[in-house]
Amino acid sequence: MKQSRARNSFRRLRQLGQGMTEYIIITALIAIAAIAAVTYFGGTARAQIGGMAQELAGKSGKQDIQRAGNQANQAHSEATTDKTLNSYDNKTAQ
């Protein structure tokens, strides 16, 4: 009788551990996706926020807004180019 209770409690603990492991894996995948999004769009967002801050301060934010457009164009061109192992090698040489 005692052994069956011990087995049942061990099974419950194992199932709880499995749920926690799945939660950690999902959280890690979301974090990786967020890091990738900030890497690609971080420059654009910073420039746009800088432009808005300049405009709110009563100054011209035209330069920051143009920089945001340039960053967006650069991100778009990088997203549309095909990437191979050779392109990564060339990027590190620059």
Side-chain angles (χ1 to χ4, degrees):
M1 187 72 165
K2 287 185 180 183
Q3 286 181 345
S4 65
R5 286 184 186 173
R7 286 182 193 160
N8 287 339
S9 64
F10 180 71
R11 286 180 187 157
R12 270 188 250 133
L13 287 175
R14 208 165 93 193
Q15 287 176 352
L16 289 175
Q18 179 183 358
M20 182 62 83
T21 303
E22 291 170 355
Y23 176 75
I24 290 170
I25 290 171
I26 290 170
T27 304
L29 290 174
I30 290 171
I32 290 170
I35 290 169
V38 169
T39 299
Y40 281 114
F41 302 114
T44 305
R46 278 192 301 274
Q48 287 177 342
I49 291 170
M52 287 186 288
Q54 290 290 338
E55 293 286 336
L56 287 173
K59 299 177 183 177
S60 174
K62 186 175 183 178
Q63 187 177 22
D64 289 326
I65 293 169
Q66 287 175 343
R67 189 170 50 128
N70 293 339
Q71 290 284 333
N73 290 336
Q74 181 182 0
H76 175 68
S77 67
E78 284 186 29
T80 57
T81 58
D82 291 334
K83 293 189 173 46
T84 63
L85 291 177
N86 289 333
S87 63
Y88 288 109
D89 187 38
N90 293 337
K91 195 169 194 171
T92 58
Q94 293 177 352

